[in-house]
Amino acid sequence: MSESLVQYQEDLRRFSDELIRLQTPIKILDAIKWPREMEDRFLASKGSRLPKIGPDFYQRLALPFDSRKTQAELISLKQDIRRRLGKQDKLGKILQANVDQYRLVIDMLNHRGQPEFGQLSRQLYGSASDKLHGDRHSLRQLGDRLSHIFSLPAARHMIKHHPKIITAPEAVSVLSQRLLGYFHSDEMRVRLSDGIVSDAAVGGDTVKLNSKAMFSESDLNIYEVHEGWVHVGTTLNGRAQPHATWLSVGSPRVAATQEGLAVLLEMLTLSSNPGRARRISDRVAAVDMAEQGADFIQVFHYFRDQNLSATDSYRVTQRVFRGGMVAGGSFFTKDISYVRGYVENINFIRSAITSGLPELIPMLFLGKLAIDDIPVLYRACREGILTEPKYLPPMFDNFSGLYAWFGFASGLAGIDLKGVQRHFQRLFKDLPNVEPMYEPSDDTEFDNTSD
């Protein structure tokens, strides 16, 4: 190994570790979370009064770092990367892009409860009006289509198959056993938490379950692959890098790839269910309405009118207004990441196959990355600067099955689906109408799984 390569790798590790140090206290969701009692108060008013969340609330929720000092250190780090690695170094450019993201995050958090928060959120996560890569449809249009499919009567009836009968301590025990077997060479934890609003969340190598929640078997299947295989897996894969340790932490630019990959794993393992899928799809509509100026009450009642329970209507709405302004005009757009990332991951896999480069597919698990980074990271792996992913789900470790699956999907992509639907609708039209096997009550909740 040449002396210059050794020096390059040492510099890469030093800059990576410094970025990790600077971003560690920057926890976006902690900085904008609402107390659980806010939900009780809002639902007690039957959705008639705005939650009492404004700039003063966020002022009292102090950030655990010095904004000015951290900004100055991030600027200095970017200058050091450019000076030491060179302006054209491709790994250096990815590092700098992450530095720039954290600088925007700090600006966004400093404007919690103000119009600028929503503007900066759009810069970081995008907008529901954005078009999908290579397509004329917006994320809102796709989200509406998916929400319709997952709210059909047949989908609503399936909720009876997922009763929430597992206690939080039991869920911790089951999930721990599953994930400790998967992560055979690293320590990771599943633990109870009183400090999270959602039913599950991930922090580094730890999966946290809400101590007050009840869970279904479907919930645990989702957490195993979504929180475990993807979120914890990419963290540990990034930590295993000898030089590019920044791949163990994720700035907003990686959110779509991460969340989309997690949703894709739910689908590939058949772990998801219609309620969960609708919940993810509805988030796009909630973001779009907030972007169009709707207030908290308007978005809440929109979902109530779509036959979503009061609890779930509150929760999908709350996710979009946390950090923003409940009276409208500011919002948190991260929730478009799930649908956007799902589509982008599928298109990436299909394109890798049709381009004759299926070996790129496992790179999705290399660490916390954006899909557009993969060609650069793959070359770095081939050059010995990076190492291959340590933990891979079975279908990504031996991706011949994925090749067949997505190869068929690519080959069938040109079929006129509307024509196919018309054919089968003619076949179905004479079927007798029957009473539904199960009719949910007005306040039946769809599965409320992780963030």
Side-chain angles (χ1 to χ4, degrees):
M1 185 181 297
S2 69
E3 185 177 336
S4 61
L5 179 57
V6 171
Q7 185 61 59
Y8 177 82
Q9 292 174 333
E10 290 177 354
D11 289 338
L12 199 63
R13 177 63 188 249
R14 177 164 54 86
F15 294 139
S16 296
D17 289 349
E18 177 65 2
L19 178 60
I20 291 172
R21 182 187 74 80
L22 292 175
Q23 67 80 44
T24 295
I26 306 174
K27 301 184 184 302
I28 299 173
L29 298 185
D30 283 350
I32 60 176
K33 67 181 179 182
W34 296 5
R36 184 174 284 273
E37 57 265 23
M38 200 63 64
E39 176 180 331
D40 298 332
R41 294 173 190 167
F42 182 81
L43 296 181
S45 77
K46 300 188 183 302
S48 63
R49 293 195 295 272
L50 288 172
K52 293 184 178 180
I53 299 285
D56 290 346
F57 168 81
Y58 294 112
Q59 288 287 333
R60 294 191 296 271
L61 197 60
L63 299 175
F65 58 91
D66 185 319
S67 294
R68 290 185 179 180
K69 179 182 176 184
T70 304
Q71 283 280 23
E73 290 177 312
L74 286 168
I75 292 172
S76 177
L77 175 59
K78 182 176 179 179
Q79 292 171 342
D80 288 345
I81 294 170
R82 288 167 62 91
R83 182 168 54 249
R84 189 70 182 177
L85 300 185
K87 294 180 181 180
Q88 302 306 315
D89 183 78
K90 293 183 178 180
L91 290 177
K93 286 183 177 180
I94 295 175
L95 261 173
Q96 292 176 63
N98 281 287
V99 171
D100 289 339
Q101 287 272 292
Y102 287 117
R103 293 193 60 210
L104 281 175
V105 167
I106 293 173
D107 285 343
M108 181 180 74
L109 296 181
N110 281 331
H111 288 92
R112 292 170 295 172
Q114 302 171 37
E116 292 86 352
F117 179 91
Q119 297 164 14
L120 290 162
S121 178
R122 273 180 174 155
Q123 289 186 51
L124 289 164
Y125 298 103
S127 166
S129 62
D130 289 345
K131 300 291 192 298
L132 296 165
H133 287 313
D135 194 86
R136 60 186 175 82
H137 296 97
S138 69
L139 285 168
R140 172 63 193 265
Q141 289 174 307
L142 176 59
D144 284 349
R145 175 60 178 159
L146 293 173
S147 292
H148 168 72
I149 293 170
F150 296 126
S151 60
L152 291 171
R156 288 174 61 82
H157 301 159
M158 290 179 191
I159 195 172
K160 71 172 183 175
H161 300 298
H162 307 290
K164 292 180 179 290
I165 58 175
I166 302 171
T167 65
E170 291 171 335
V172 166
S173 177
V174 171
L175 204 56
S176 294
Q177 186 174 6
R178 294 184 189 180
L179 292 178
L180 289 174
Y182 181 85
F183 296 111
H184 47 80
S185 300
D186 282 277
E187 290 187 8
M188 62 83 55
R189 293 193 304 157
V190 182
R191 67 175 180 84
L192 296 175
S193 174
D194 295 326
I196 58 174
V197 177
S198 59
D199 284 353
V202 168
D205 56 11
T206 301
V207 176
K208 295 176 281 189
L209 299 184
N210 193 315
S211 60
K212 299 180 178 64
M214 296 289 289
F215 303 92
S216 68
E217 182 64 28
S218 177
D219 291 339
L220 299 189
N221 293 337
I222 290 168
Y223 300 153
E224 179 181 5
V225 300
H226 185 117
E227 314 293 354
W229 292 8
V230 176
H231 292 325
V232 174
T234 52
T235 293
L236 296 179
N237 285 343
R239 287 181 185 175
Q241 290 297 323
H243 313 295
T245 52
W246 91 80
L247 288 167
S248 65
V249 297
S251 67
R253 66 186 294 272
V254 313
T257 303
Q258 272 283 295
E259 300 299 354
L261 187 60
V263 174
L264 176 60
L265 261 292
E266 294 179 30
M267 305 305 168
L268 290 176
T269 58
L270 305 184
S271 300
S272 196
N273 57 72
R276 163 70 169 169
R278 179 183 173 181
R279 181 169 171 262
I280 289 171
S281 305
D282 282 344
R283 294 173 182 176
V284 182
V287 169
D288 185 64
M289 291 183 68
E291 288 186 283
Q292 302 307 316
D295 66 18
F296 191 98
I297 292 174
Q298 290 171 319
V299 176
F300 170 81
H301 283 292
Y302 167 81
F303 288 110
R304 291 296 284 136
D305 292 342
Q306 299 296 314
N307 295 316
L308 207 60
S309 73
T311 299
D312 282 331
S313 295
Y314 172 87
R315 290 179 180 176
V316 72
T317 305
Q318 180 264 339
R319 293 173 63 92
V320 175
F321 283 91
R322 51 186 171 172
M325 299 162 59
V326 295
S330 189
F331 32 76
F332 188 47
T333 61
K334 177 182 180 288
D335 272 0
I336 65 171
S337 301
Y338 298 81
V339 170
R340 162 179 265 160
Y342 177 71
V343 174
E344 290 179 351
N345 274 276
I346 286 178
N347 287 339
F348 172 81
I349 294 172
R350 289 171 58 182
S351 297
I353 288 171
T354 56
S355 299
L357 293 166
E359 60 269 24
L360 293 177
I361 296 172
M363 296 295 293
L364 288 164
F365 284 86
L366 188 70
K368 312 290 186 186
L369 51 82
I371 279 179
D372 289 351
D373 297 341
I374 288 180
V376 172
L377 299 175
Y378 177 70
R379 291 192 192 97
C381 278
R382 295 293 297 268
E383 294 166 0
I385 298 171
L386 304 183
T387 59
E388 295 182 351
K390 183 177 181 180
Y391 296 109
L392 282 171
M395 70 287 289
F396 283 82
D397 192 14
N398 178 1
F399 50 82
S400 61
L402 279 181
Y403 192 109
W405 180 306
F406 285 99
F408 266 113
S410 299
L412 298 174
I415 290 178
D416 181 5
L417 185 58
K418 290 184 179 179
V420 173
Q421 288 175 329
R422 286 194 295 270
H423 168 75
F424 283 105
Q425 284 169 355
R426 286 194 292 270
L427 289 180
F428 299 158
K429 68 181 178 65
D430 292 329
L431 291 177
N433 291 321
V434 295
E435 291 295 318
M437 295 173 59
Y438 172 74
E439 186 62 38
S441 65
D442 177 62
D443 207 43
T444 295
E445 293 185 19
F446 286 93
D447 286 2
N448 180 39
T449 50
S450 68
D451 199 272

